[in-house]
């Protein structure tokens, strides 16, 4: 049965305007006939009704009995490990259940599948097809997010079908809140929201109970303590049955003696069923960061090992020790070689009394915890592509949030020449890396040719990101590293070729990045047309260097043409580099293409490194933004501790081209005689950043032997290093139930609690900021905060606060969330699964209940809505045209009685004249005169009526008069034209001539001639 439904029925109140508007229209159109007035008013009324129905969201409603079921399948590691039974693995059991259920459904019923673990991914949209045998992908590891899976499954239920969710899981969720999602679905069911109402959740528990398992539940160490102190490390172990093994503890990757006076470093432990806690005393060495890692190694008894999964046999923690840190010099000049030119800076810092550690770019810390060991980081001649963007973001956070220092030292591979423009570090540098347009001519035109075939949809390292996502992001990062004056274009290819970004200046990187990120995968692999299109774009560009980058992860259907095309492109002055992603790419062809066009070839196994490869290609292809030659440094009269006491500075051999920021907080301490910035520094958050645009060895070769060389670098390092200031507050941090809980006890020097402290906690993980929370006072001087943190890894907490308007020094602490959390639950959680079913009106199924999956139970017919706004809009346009037409076109004249009477009179007159003509012709023939008959025959075509001689004469006279009138009218028109012309002399005619030349005289002469002929 069809019906109507309304989304916003209050718009129907517009119909109240119909009657008054119709009346006004009828009264206004007074010049129209009654029929047109009525039709115009009715058209207005219909138009208002159509518009109000469209605005009210009219939908046609039809009942349907079709049922759609979306199966949310748990593919986490715990299900895979423990979920098998009767010789079948978990995946086989799940597939068998879905196949049986699909066989028992009606023809119109639909089945869809969602796979989930830490992430979620749709496997198949609800369909009538057989999809039970489709492979289940890996969607992240190290956790289970049932809540996200339920949300995705609910969103996949078609609007024109009744719906049900089938959850196949062990119920051990490590993140999210599945019960909250179920409550939302139940609320929708009770309130009848939308056309469908709520969705019941059926559950098929994957039940297990692990009988032999030992896990490391936690490793607990003080988050902060003094360097050199002795700390007590607590290791929590849980066993399902009595077990034996060896507990080993490492500190900063070095094993500590956990066995006391007994031989060996590992402690042999005997465990009873349940939880056991082992205590190990550890004396901390010098340093700021102390990492602990505990490992339980199970023993075998009688050939049986008392442990099933090794993933949960490790745990970690770390302790921070306030105190002086060291200076980290990241040497991009000679790779931290002790005798390389890059080591000169490290030796100068050591001679200045600082503790300096030299590392190559690959050895830079990867997370905030490792950065915490240093007070200052110096990037010496390091290119942006040598450090991944995650590390760059961590370094920026280390400066702005944790008070660390950063110095960037110049060289041919630094600043803008090193591709740092558009990087996470650029915003915290005291100099701009892009130059004014007038100062730079176009250096490079670059064409990026990206594979967008269907194979690029593959996930990367178990994450939710595809190869296409990472390739798009890498290309966007590369475009951001170019100068605004550079030319860039982007071409994507699959079976077809698309010009994503035409060749043009890079003056809007955000727009270009948005276009690149919009590339979607699908189709085959045809590279040749894309290379030709990119070559055409490059040929039209005016730039010093022209370069093409081609990325593909598959084998092209036109692979035999590519090397020849690359040779042709290279003859036009274009180099071509190729990037082969994954093992499925045609490595040989991609290498041949690069060789043929004098470019570089890269084989990338891990797509996550693509951004670095793209940046390297951009940097290599682009002419460095440097100026080399004799450069005289000038110390500016700026209040800077870095240049204090420096005089008679030697010349430098080169400088990176930058421009100062227009910010009052930037100190420009040194410049060249041309005004180019040489040394600038400023405060960023709670840290400091400096930029020295020359280098420390080659361009500064005259400085190496200068007595002020060591002093300059020592003063710069001390001025930029973190100042050590401890608040003395007691801070405790722990991780439990997916939360990082922070406890702060604040007291003054006399031990009096500090109340009304205002502040918060910010938590940082390896990927950046995780979350933040405000401190809540729970007692005298006692404060608490909690932040969600589910992913395994190390977290740094920064606590800031104010008391009576006075800022307190920031406090740092850390905590580690151990991996293998899903293996810590040694049995399935059937209680959670039952609660999900009960809350939404679902059922708890068993493996033998497959035929009941599509049993509708209390799910009745559903109302399927089809929006009508398109139809209403089309009718409204038609009625609008009718409304305009009925007011502009006098269609009523065709139907009026006057129009009909005129038509009848005209028709009657024609009939009378025809009858008279027939009678006249008969009379003429009856007279029998040969002459008359001959005359009539000659003139019958010209004379309409001729009954008698008088009639014939009259008709002839009228015809002659028409001819004469036409002649007279032409003569009068000619006379008027002559009178209007100023160049013609006019002669007044005589009175009698004028009279005779008139129409009356013409008539008289015609009559006389007619009578003479008669």
């Amino acid at each position: 049965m069809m019906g109507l439904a309304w989304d916003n029925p209050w718009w129907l109140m517009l119909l109240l305007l119909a009657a008054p508007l119709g009346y006004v229209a009828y009264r206004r159109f007074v010049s129209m006939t009654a029929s047109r007035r009525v039709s115009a008013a009715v058209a207005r009324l219909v138009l208002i009704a159509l518009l109000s129905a469209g605005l009210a969201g009219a939908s046609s409603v039809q009942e349907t009995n079709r049922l759609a079921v979306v199966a949310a399948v748990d593919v986490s590691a715990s299900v895979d490990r423990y979920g098998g039974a009767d010789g079948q693995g978990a995946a086989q059991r799940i597939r068998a259940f879905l196949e049986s259920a699909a066989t028992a459904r009606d023809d119109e019923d639909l089945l869809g599948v969602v796979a989930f673990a830490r992430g979620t991914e749709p496997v198949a949209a609800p369909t009538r097809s057989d999809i039970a045998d489709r492979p289940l992908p890996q969607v992240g590891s190290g956790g289970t997010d049932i809540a996200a899976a339920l949300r995705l499954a609910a969103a996949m239920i078609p609007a024109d079908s009744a719906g049900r969710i089938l959850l196949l899981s062990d119920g051990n969720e490590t993140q999210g809140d599945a019960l909250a999602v179920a409550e939302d679905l139940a609320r929708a069911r009770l309130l009848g929201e939308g056309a469908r109402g709520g969705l019941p959740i059926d559950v098929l528990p994957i039940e297990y109970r692990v009988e032999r398992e030992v896990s490391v539940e936690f490793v607990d160490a003080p988050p902060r303590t003094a360097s050199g102190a002795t700390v007590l490390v607590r290791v929590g172990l849980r066993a399902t049955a009595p077990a034996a093994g060896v507990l080993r503890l490492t500190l900063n990757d070095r094993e500590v003696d956990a066995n006391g006076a007994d031989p060996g470093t590992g402690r042999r432990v005997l465990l009873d069923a349940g939880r056991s806690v082992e205590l190990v005393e550890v004396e901390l060495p010098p340093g700021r960061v102390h990492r602990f890692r505990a490992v339980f190694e199970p023993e075998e008894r009688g050939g049986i090992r008392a442990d099933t999964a090794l993933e949960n046999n490790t745990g970690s923690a770390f302790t921070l020790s306030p105190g002086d840190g060291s200076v980290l010099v990241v040497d991009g000049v000679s790779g931290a070689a002790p005798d390389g030119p890059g080591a000169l800076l490290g030796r100068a810092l050591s001679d200045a009394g600082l503790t300096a550690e030299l590392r190559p770019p690959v050895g830079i810390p990867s997370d905030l915890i490792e950065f915490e060991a240093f007070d200052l980081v110096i990037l010496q001649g390091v290119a942006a592509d040598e450090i991944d963007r995650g590390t760059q973001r961590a370094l920026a956070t280390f400066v702005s949030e944790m008070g660390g220092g950063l110095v960037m030292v110049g060289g041919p591979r630094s600043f803008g020449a090193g591709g740092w423009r558009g990087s996470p570090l650029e915003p915290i540098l005291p100099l701009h890396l892009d130059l004014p347009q007038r100062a730079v001519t176009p250096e490079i035109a670059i064409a990026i040719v990206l594979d967008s075939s269907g194979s690029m949809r593959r996930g990367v390292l178990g994450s939710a990101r595809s190869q296409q996502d990472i390739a798009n992001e890498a290309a966007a990062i590369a475009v951001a590293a170019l100068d605004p004056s550079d030319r860039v274009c982007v071409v994507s290819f699959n079976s077809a070729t698309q010009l994503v970004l035409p060749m043009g200046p890079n003056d809007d990187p955000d727009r270009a990045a948005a276009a690149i990120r919009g590339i979607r995968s699908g189709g085959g692999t045809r590279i040749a047309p894309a290379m030709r299109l990119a070559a055409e774009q490059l040929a039209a560009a005016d730039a010093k260097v022209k370069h093409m980058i081609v990325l593909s992860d598959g084998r092209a259907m036109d692979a035999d043409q590519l090397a020849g095309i690359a040779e042709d492109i290279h003859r036009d002055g274009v180099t071509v580099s190729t990037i082969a992603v994954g093992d499925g790419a045609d490595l040989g062809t991609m290498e041949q293409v690069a060789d043929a066009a004098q470019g570089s070839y890269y084989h990338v196994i891990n797509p996550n490194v693509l951004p670095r490869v793209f940046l390297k290609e951009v940097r290599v292809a682009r002419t460095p933004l440097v100026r080399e030659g004799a450069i005289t440094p000038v110390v500016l009269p700026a209040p800077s501790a870095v240049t204090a006491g420096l005089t008679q500075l030697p010349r430098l051999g080169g400088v990176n081209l930058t421009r100062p920021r227009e910010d009052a907080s930037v100190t420009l301490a040194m410049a060249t005689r041309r005004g180019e910035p040489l040394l600038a520094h400023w405060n960023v958050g709670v840290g400091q950043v400096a930029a020295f645009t020359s280098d420390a060895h080659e361009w500064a070769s005259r400085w190496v032997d200068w007595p002020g060389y060591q002093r300059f670098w020592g003063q710069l390092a001390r001025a930029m290093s973190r100042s050590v200031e401890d608040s003395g507050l007691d801070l405790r941090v722990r991780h439990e139930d997916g939360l990082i809980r922070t406890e702060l006890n604040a007291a003054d020097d006399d031990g009096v609690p500090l109340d009304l402290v205002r502040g918060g906690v910010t938590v940082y993980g390896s990927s950046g900021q995780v979350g933040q929370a405000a401190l809540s006072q729970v007692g005298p001087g006692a404060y608490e905060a909690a932040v969600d943190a589910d992913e395994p890894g190390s977290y740094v907490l920064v606590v800031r606060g104010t008391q009576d308007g006075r800022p307190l020094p920031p406090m740092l602490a850390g905590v580690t969330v151990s991996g293998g959390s899903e293996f810590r639950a040694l049995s399935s959680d059937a209680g959670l699964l039952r609660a999900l079913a009960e809350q939404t009106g679902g059922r708890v199924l068993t493996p033998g209940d497959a035929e009941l999956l599509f049993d509708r139970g209390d799910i009745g017919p559903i109302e399927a809505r089809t929006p009508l706004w398109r139809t209403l809009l089309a009718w409204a346009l038609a009625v609008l045209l009718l409304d305009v037409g009925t007011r502009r076109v006098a269609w009523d004249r065709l139907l009026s009685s006057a129009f009909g009477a005129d038509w009848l009179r005209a028709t009657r007159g024609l009939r009378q004249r025809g009858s008279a003509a027939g009678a006249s012709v008969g009379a003429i023939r009856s007279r029998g005169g040969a002459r008359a008959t001959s005359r009539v025959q000659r003139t019958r075509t010209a004379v309409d009526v001729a009954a008698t001689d008088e009639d014939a004469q009259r008709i002839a006279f009228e015809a002659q008069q028409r001819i004469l009138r036409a002649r007279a009218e032409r003569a009068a028109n000619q006379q008027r034209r002559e009178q209007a012309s100023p160049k013609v002399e006019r002669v007044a005619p005589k009175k009698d001539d004028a009279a005779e030349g008139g129409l009356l005289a013409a008539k008289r002469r015609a009559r006389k001639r007619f009578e003479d002929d008669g």
Side-chain angles (χ1 to χ4, degrees):
M1 179 181 294
M2 293 285 291
L4 286 177
W6 312 92
D7 293 336
N8 302 299
W10 53 272
W11 279 105
L12 296 176
M13 295 182 65
L14 290 175
L15 294 175
L16 298 177
L17 301 175
L21 288 178
Y23 176 76
V24 171
Y26 183 82
R27 299 291 296 174
R28 182 180 178 185
F29 303 144
V30 293
S31 60
M32 301 180 185
T33 61
S35 58
R36 284 180 64 197
R37 292 166 68 186
V38 171
S39 65
V42 170
R44 290 287 176 89
L45 297 179
V46 174
L47 183 60
I48 293 173
L50 290 172
L51 292 177
S52 62
L55 293 172
S59 300
S60 65
V61 181
Q62 185 175 11
E63 285 190 353
T64 176
N65 288 313
R66 186 167 63 178
L67 177 62
V69 176
V70 176
V73 180
D74 190 342
V75 294
S76 61
S78 59
V79 170
D80 182 61
R81 174 70 59 85
Y82 303 131
D86 300 327
Q88 284 187 317
Q92 293 175 302
R93 295 177 62 195
I94 292 171
R95 185 171 291 111
F97 183 89
L98 294 179
E99 287 176 351
S100 299
T103 304
R105 62 177 168 168
D106 293 340
D107 292 339
E108 63 177 2
D109 290 341
L110 310 176
L111 177 63
V113 178
V114 169
F116 72 95
R118 176 172 290 277
T120 59
E121 182 176 328
V123 177
T127 177
R128 295 188 181 93
S129 304
D130 185 10
I131 60 173
D133 58 346
R134 293 195 182 183
L136 299 174
Q138 296 299 318
V139 285
S141 59
T144 304
D145 192 347
I146 299 176
L150 294 178
R151 282 192 293 266
L152 178 58
M156 290 174 60
I157 301 293
D160 59 351
S161 303
R164 171 180 286 148
I165 297 173
L166 171 64
L167 176 61
L168 303 98
S169 173
D170 60 1
N172 289 323
E173 62 174 345
T174 61
Q175 61 194 88
D177 190 346
L179 284 174
V181 175
E183 183 179 354
D184 292 339
L185 296 177
R187 185 181 302 113
R189 182 181 180 86
L190 293 175
L191 297 179
E193 295 179 359
R196 178 174 49 242
L199 294 175
I201 301 175
D202 290 350
V203 298
L204 177 62
I206 301 176
E207 296 182 297
Y208 57 82
R209 182 174 184 82
V210 180
E211 300 297 337
R212 299 185 309 275
E213 184 61 36
V214 178
S215 63
V216 177
E217 280 199 326
F218 62 84
V219 177
D220 186 22
R224 292 166 57 88
T225 189
S227 180
T230 299
V231 300
L232 192 64
V233 179
R234 300 169 63 247
V235 181
L237 303 170
R238 178 176 290 276
T240 59
V246 176
L247 177 65
R248 300 188 184 277
L249 184 68
T250 61
L251 172 59
N252 296 334
D253 296 328
R254 292 184 178 181
E255 189 170 356
V256 300
D257 187 0
N259 209 20
D262 295 336
T265 55
R267 177 184 298 181
R268 188 173 185 275
V269 294
L270 298 175
L271 304 176
D272 295 325
R275 175 185 288 180
S276 302
V277 177
E278 297 292 327
L279 305 178
V280 182
E281 287 189 355
V282 180
E283 184 178 348
L284 299 180
R288 302 189 63 169
V289 179
H290 312 283
R291 291 178 177 269
F292 300 99
R293 185 169 183 267
V295 179
F296 176 77
E297 299 175 353
E299 295 180 352
E300 291 186 1
R301 288 185 173 182
I304 300 176
R305 193 175 65 182
D307 199 13
T308 304
L310 298 180
E311 291 87 346
N312 57 4
N313 283 23
T314 62
S316 57
F318 65 90
T319 296
L320 300 179
S321 297
D324 293 334
S326 60
V327 177
L328 173 62
V329 180
V330 183
D331 180 19
V333 177
S334 52
D339 55 350
L344 291 173
L345 177 56
R347 286 196 291 270
L349 295 173
S350 298
D351 293 341
L354 296 169
T355 302
E357 181 179 344
L358 202 64
R359 292 188 187 181
V362 294
I364 190 172
S366 59
D367 58 28
L368 288 172
I369 298 300
E370 292 187 48
F371 277 119
E372 183 60 22
F374 305 98
D375 288 330
L376 174 67
V377 177
I378 299 178
L379 300 179
Q380 179 185 210
V382 179
D385 59 84
E386 296 180 290
I387 301 176
D388 66 76
R389 290 178 74 86
T391 300
Q392 294 178 28
R393 286 190 290 268
L395 180 54
T397 302
F398 165 72
V399 174
S400 61
E401 302 295 331
M402 301 171 64
L406 172 65
V407 176
M408 181 173 285
V409 180
R413 293 157 45 88
S414 187
F415 292 101
W420 286 101
R421 184 173 180 270
S423 70
L425 289 186
E426 184 192 18
I428 69 173
L429 293 176
L431 300 172
H432 286 296
L433 304 186
D434 59 322
L435 302 182
Q437 294 276 35
R438 57 180 175 80
V440 180
T441 57
E443 295 285 352
I444 182 174
I446 188 166
I448 299 175
V449 183
L450 288 179
D451 190 344
S452 61
S453 60
S455 58
M456 292 290 286
R457 294 174 180 165
R458 284 195 292 259
V460 176
L461 299 179
S463 70
R465 303 185 70 195
S466 66
Q467 290 187 157
Q468 190 72 65
D469 295 333
I470 294 177
N472 295 350
E473 187 65 24
I477 291 171
V479 169
L482 294 170
D483 272 359
S485 60
D486 293 334
R487 271 49 176 168
V488 64
C489 82
V490 178
V491 177
S492 69
F493 66 88
N494 43 48
S495 301
T497 300
Q498 179 184 5
L499 182 61
V500 177
L501 189 69
M503 182 65 72
N506 187 38
D507 51 7
D508 192 352
D510 292 338
R511 180 182 63 85
I516 294 170
R517 293 187 180 104
I519 297 175
R520 293 293 176 263
S521 307
T525 305
R526 293 181 59 86
I527 305 179
M531 291 181 63
R532 293 192 182 98
L533 177 58
E536 294 174 1
Q537 294 286 309
L538 287 169
D542 180 18
K544 297 178 182 178
V545 178
K546 297 182 179 182
H547 187 58
M548 183 187 302
I549 303 174
V550 181
L551 179 146
S552 178
D553 77 330
R555 298 179 179 272
M557 294 180 283
D558 48 11
D560 56 334
Q561 308 175 31
L562 301 183
I565 294 174
E567 290 180 357
D568 296 339
I569 292 174
H570 184 57
R571 278 194 285 269
D572 294 333
V574 179
T575 56
V576 180
S577 292
T578 59
I579 304 173
V581 180
D583 294 329
D586 189 348
L587 307 183
T589 300
M590 297 294 279
E591 187 172 8
Q592 291 174 9
V593 169
D595 291 341
Q598 300 298 308
S600 301
Y601 161 71
Y602 303 90
H603 179 205
V604 178
I605 299 296
N606 180 2
N608 284 324
V609 305
L610 277 178
R612 296 170 61 182
V613 175
F614 268 97
L615 283 173
K616 182 176 182 180
E617 274 302 294
V618 170
R619 174 178 58 81
V620 170
R622 200 182 195 289
T623 302
L625 293 174
V626 300
R627 181 170 71 86
E628 295 183 313
I631 296 173
T632 302
V634 178
V635 176
L636 302 178
S640 175
V642 179
T643 57
L646 297 179
T647 58
Q648 299 180 348
L649 278 67
R651 287 186 175 182
L652 296 166
V655 66
N656 291 89
L657 299 179
T658 60
R659 58 188 178 93
R661 291 186 182 272
E662 297 178 357
D663 193 307
S665 63
V666 174
T667 299
L668 186 61
M670 198 181 295
T672 68
R673 284 192 173 178
R674 292 188 180 183
E676 298 152 336
L678 187 56
L679 174 64
H681 56 85
W682 67 338
N683 294 332
V684 177
V686 293
Q688 298 185 90
V689 180
F692 183 68
T693 59
S694 189
D695 68 6
H697 62 289
E698 183 177 354
W699 290 345
S701 58
R702 295 187 180 184
W703 282 40
V704 174
D705 298 327
W706 170 50
Y709 181 76
Q710 173 187 311
R711 179 176 182 176
F712 168 73
W713 288 110
Q715 291 181 173
L716 177 59
R718 286 190 172 89
M720 296 299 108
S721 291
R722 170 170 40 194
S723 59
V724 180
E725 184 179 5
D726 193 2
S727 63
L729 304 181
D730 181 22
L731 183 64
R732 300 175 184 272
V733 179
R734 69 183 188 277
H735 179 265
E736 62 182 18
D737 300 329
L739 297 173
I740 293 179
R741 300 185 183 276
T742 305
E743 299 176 358
L744 175 65
N745 292 312
D748 60 17
D749 296 337
D750 298 328
V752 178
L754 296 177
D755 294 328
L756 302 179
V757 171
R758 300 288 183 266
V761 178
T762 305
V763 179
Y764 297 92
S766 58
S767 59
Q769 181 174 325
V770 174
Q772 55 186 356
L775 289 171
S776 300
Q777 187 165 3
V778 295
Y783 303 86
E784 289 184 352
V787 177
D788 290 328
D790 294 314
E791 294 190 9
S794 297
Y795 295 85
V796 175
L797 292 82
V798 181
V799 182
R800 296 186 181 86
T802 60
Q803 206 268 334
D804 293 335
R806 177 178 59 86
L808 301 175
M811 296 185 63
L812 302 179
V815 67
T816 298
V817 177
S818 300
S821 57
E822 59 183 316
F823 291 104
R824 302 190 193 286
L826 303 180
S827 63
S828 55
D829 190 350
L832 173 64
L833 298 176
R834 282 194 299 270
L836 293 175
E838 292 172 359
Q839 195 151 15
T840 58
R843 302 165 297 179
V844 179
L845 303 179
T846 66
D849 293 335
E851 69 278 2
L852 299 179
L853 181 59
F854 284 92
D855 181 11
R856 284 157 175 76
D858 61 347
I859 299 178
I862 186 174
E863 291 183 347
R865 291 189 177 187
T866 303
L868 299 177
W869 65 269
R870 291 184 178 86
T871 303
L872 294 173
L873 179 61
W875 276 106
L877 291 175
V879 173
L880 177 63
L881 294 176
L882 180 63
D883 177 38
V884 174
T886 194
R887 290 183 287 108
R888 299 296 182 185
V889 178
W891 53 267
D892 54 334
R893 294 182 56 189
L894 300 176
L895 305 178
S896 65
S897 58
F899 179 83
D902 293 341
W903 182 78
L904 290 174
R905 280 196 298 271
T907 303
R908 190 180 302 113
L910 289 174
R911 264 198 310 270
Q912 291 175 352
R913 286 195 296 272
S915 300
S920 299
V921 172
I924 292 173
R925 286 177 178 175
S926 64
R927 293 172 62 180
R931 180 180 177 182
T933 302
S934 175
R935 183 182 302 166
V936 171
Q937 290 175 347
R938 292 194 305 269
T939 61
R940 64 187 300 177
T941 59
V943 179
D944 290 333
V945 180
T948 62
D949 290 341
E950 292 181 0
D951 292 332
Q953 291 178 0
R954 180 175 57 80
I955 293 172
F957 175 75
E958 290 178 353
Q960 187 68 27
Q961 286 294 97
R962 285 196 295 272
I963 295 173
L964 291 176
R965 281 197 299 271
R967 290 177 179 175
E969 198 168 332
R970 286 196 297 271
N973 290 337
Q974 179 65 27
Q975 185 176 4
R976 282 194 296 271
R977 285 195 297 271
E978 291 175 355
Q979 289 177 352
S981 174
K983 297 181 180 180
V984 179
E985 286 189 15
R986 294 181 177 82
V987 179
K990 294 180 181 180
K991 183 176 181 181
D992 56 349
D993 292 339
E996 287 295 323
L999 181 59
L1000 183 59
K1003 289 181 178 181
R1004 289 173 181 170
R1005 288 194 296 273
R1007 180 177 296 179
K1008 187 176 183 303
R1009 284 195 299 273
F1010 190 85
E1011 291 175 351
D1012 292 341
D1013 291 339

